[in-house]
């Protein structure tokens, strides 16, 4: 066997034992000494200054990143951070690589060390604190409401998701975007398939309107379509709190066509910051009918109530659309000329006064289908109430379930379309009959194939140009 000789190119290099460990120990001791010294010197600070110093110490990684971005050079290798809003300011002294050294009270000088303001570090620390708080909120949400339980409640329909569950979703709506969107997407696909199946059954019933098998099949289709529609409406309520671009765009696609769920989807989009864009685009769609445009105009009213600073831009866009402009009443908030001359804070104050004069929100309606009617939805949106008010309290869920089951179990009676015979506006003229124009010739040799002669009142003469 070939043995490697010492000093051979393939022989491993032997490192001194203990040197890296000693260097790491010295570095750790040095950093620990700096930390202990810094924490001892925080006794020089009081109140807000102490809070700011400890916040910087807590976000030491952000301090290092900001110092690296600022490229501060100091002969002494240290930087001072002013943590007071007044002069003389207290300072936190850190090294150029972000190691905390000491604290200086307001009466102590910083010598020739460069000074950076506290607000230079504040945005990044606020963002980090918000991310930590969001993560904590999401963990708390998932402990209180599992996404699979939310999907099950949405699929089962009204009465299975209550106001308390909706409030958990409102804590951080982005946590449940995927479960709610998945439920809505499946329900929409099911709703479209059921609509096509119902159309096919209607065609079959036109041939035999008394076929009991097809009548029962239509009832089952109607029941499943109601369940899918109920799931879509519940998802639309929650979508109002999920102000993200994918959700807003998806709502814009659905409200471009008239449907039974268009009001709920439009009012959900009205709560979003970009809601006016998709609502105006849907109003310009050639597929909209006057009823759909009226619904979208009401949703635009909700949008400016929730986002008053966009009122001037939305009002200008609405007035440029003739089909929407003619629907505006003189006292409508989008037609009021006084708002166009107001600044942003003034518009917010004026809109707040309008909201304050609205009637109080009544209790959740438990009659009818178990879902809130359009008047209740309209009042909740105009009063800027949270979306959780669109769901029943826990003590009323049983009553809502019973009402919903009663609704989907009693489909409307089938009424076959009435077939009316074709009735001619004028009696049929035979080919060999005298021509009605009065020429004395047969109809087939005179006006057959010519445009119809306009009706002439009795006593008037037939002008020659009518016959040319």
């Amino acid at each position: 066997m070939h043995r490697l000789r010492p000093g051979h190119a393939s022989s491993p290099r032997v490192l001194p034992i203990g040197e890296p460990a000693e260097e790491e120990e010295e570095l750790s001791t040095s950093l620990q000494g700096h930390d202990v010294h810094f924490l001892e010197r925080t006794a020089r600070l009081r109140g807000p200054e102490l809070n700011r110093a400890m916040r910087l110490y807590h976000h030491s990684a952000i301090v290092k990143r900001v110092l690296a971005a600022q490229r501060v050079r100091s002969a002494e290798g240290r930087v001072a951070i002013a943590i007071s809003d007044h002069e003389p300011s207290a300072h936190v002294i850190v090294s150029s690589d972000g190691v905390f050294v000491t604290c200086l009270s307001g009466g102590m000088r910083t010598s020739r060390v460069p000074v950076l303001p506290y607000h230079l570090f504040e945005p990044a620390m606020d963002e980090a604190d918000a991310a930590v708080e969001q993560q904590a909120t999401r963990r708390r949400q998932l402990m209180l409401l599992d996404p699979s339980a939310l999907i099950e409640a949405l699929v089962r329909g009204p009465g299975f998701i209550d106001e308390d569950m909706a409030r958990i979703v409102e804590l951080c709506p982005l946590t449940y975007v995927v479960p709610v969107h998945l439920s809505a997407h499946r329900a929409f696909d099911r709703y479209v398939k059921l609509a096509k199946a119902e159309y096919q059954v209607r065609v079959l019933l036109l041939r035999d309107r008394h076929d009991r098998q097809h009548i029962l099949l239509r009832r089952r289709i109607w029941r499943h379509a109601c369940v899918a529609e109920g799931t879509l409406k519940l998802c639309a309520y929650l979508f109002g709190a999920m102000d993200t671009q994918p959700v807003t765009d998806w709502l814009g696609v659905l409200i471009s066509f008239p449907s039974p769920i268009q009001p709920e989807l439009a009012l959900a989009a009205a709560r979003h910051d970009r809601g006016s864009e998709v609502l105006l685009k849907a109003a310009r769609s050639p597929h909209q009918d006057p009823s759909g445009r009226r619904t979208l105009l009401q949703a635009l009213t909700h949008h400016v109530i929730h986002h008053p600073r966009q009122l001037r831009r939305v009002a200008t866009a609405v007035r440029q659309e003739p089909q929407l402009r003619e629907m505006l009443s003189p006292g409508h908030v989008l037609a009021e000329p006084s708002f166009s001359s107001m600044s942003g804070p003034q518009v917010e104050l004026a809109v707040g006064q309008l909201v304050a004069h609205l009637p109080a929100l009544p209790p959740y309606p438990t009659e009818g289908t178990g879902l809130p009617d359009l008047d209740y939805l309209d009042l909740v949106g105009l009063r800027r109430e949270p979306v959780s008010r669109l769901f029943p309290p826990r003590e009323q869920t049983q009553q809502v379930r019973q009402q919903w089951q009663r609704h989907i179990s009693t489909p409307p009676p089938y009424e076959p379309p009435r077939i009316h015979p074709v009735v001619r506006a004028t009696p049929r003229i035979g080919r060999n009959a005298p021509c009605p124009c009065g020429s004395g010739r047969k109809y087939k040799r005179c006006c057959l194939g010519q445009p119809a002669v306009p009706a002439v009142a009795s006593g008037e003469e037939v002008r020659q140009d009518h016959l040319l």
Side-chain angles (χ1 to χ4, degrees), residues 313-333:
R313 179 178 61 82
V314 174
T316 303
V318 169
R319 287 194 291 267
Q320 292 176 352
E321 298 293 334
Q323 296 175 331
L324 296 178
R325 185 176 63 247
E326 62 186 12
M327 295 181 180
L328 292 175
S329 58
H332 199 279
V333 65

Side-chain angles (χ1 to χ4, degrees), residues 113-134:
V113 176
V115 180
L116 295 178
Y118 175 79
H119 66 79
L120 197 64
F121 304 84
E122 200 167 13
M125 293 190 296
D126 291 341
E127 184 178 353
D129 290 340
V132 171
E133 180 63 26
Q134 188 178 34

Side-chain angles (χ1 to χ4, degrees), residues 64 84 123 177 183 237 247 280 292 304 317 324 336 350 359 415 424 456 460 464:
K64 293 180 182 180
S84 301
V177 167
S183 302
Y237 302 156
V247 174
L280 288 170
V304 298
L324 296 178
E336 184 63 35
E415 296 182 0
R424 293 179 177 273
V456 181
E460 295 184 3
Q464 192 67 21

Side-chain angles (χ1 to χ4, degrees), residues 54-82:
M54 295 308 299
R55 191 182 185 195
L56 288 169
Y57 181 74
H58 178 71
H59 293 288
S60 58
I62 293 177
V63 173
K64 293 180 182 180
R65 188 167 68 246
V66 174
L67 290 176
Q70 294 296 320
R71 297 180 180 179
V72 180
R73 295 180 179 180
S74 173
E76 300 181 1
R78 296 185 178 184
V79 179
I81 303 175

Side-chain angles (χ1 to χ4, degrees), residues 42 46 52 214 216 259 423:
T42 55
R46 296 289 184 274
R52 289 186 174 185
H214 290 156
L216 294 177
S259 65
V423 179

Side-chain angles (χ1 to χ4, degrees), residues 380-449:
V380 168
L382 292 177
R383 287 182 54 85
R384 296 191 285 203
E385 297 283 349
V387 297
S388 56
R389 298 301 301 270
L390 299 174
F391 297 89
R394 180 167 296 181
E395 59 271 11
Q396 296 182 359
T397 53
Q398 188 64 29
Q399 186 177 359
V400 172
R401 292 178 192 176
Q402 295 175 357
Q403 198 68 26
W404 174 249
Q405 292 297 327
R406 191 178 300 113
H407 167 67
I408 63 177
S409 301
T410 54
Y414 172 69
E415 296 182 0
R418 298 180 180 179
I419 302 176
H420 301 281
V422 178
V423 179
R424 293 179 177 273
T426 57
R428 183 178 181 276
I429 303 174
R431 290 171 55 85
N432 294 320
C435 187
C437 68
S439 62
R441 295 187 297 174
K442 292 184 179 181
Y443 179 61
K444 65 181 180 180
R445 299 187 179 278
C446 185
C447 294
L448 180 64

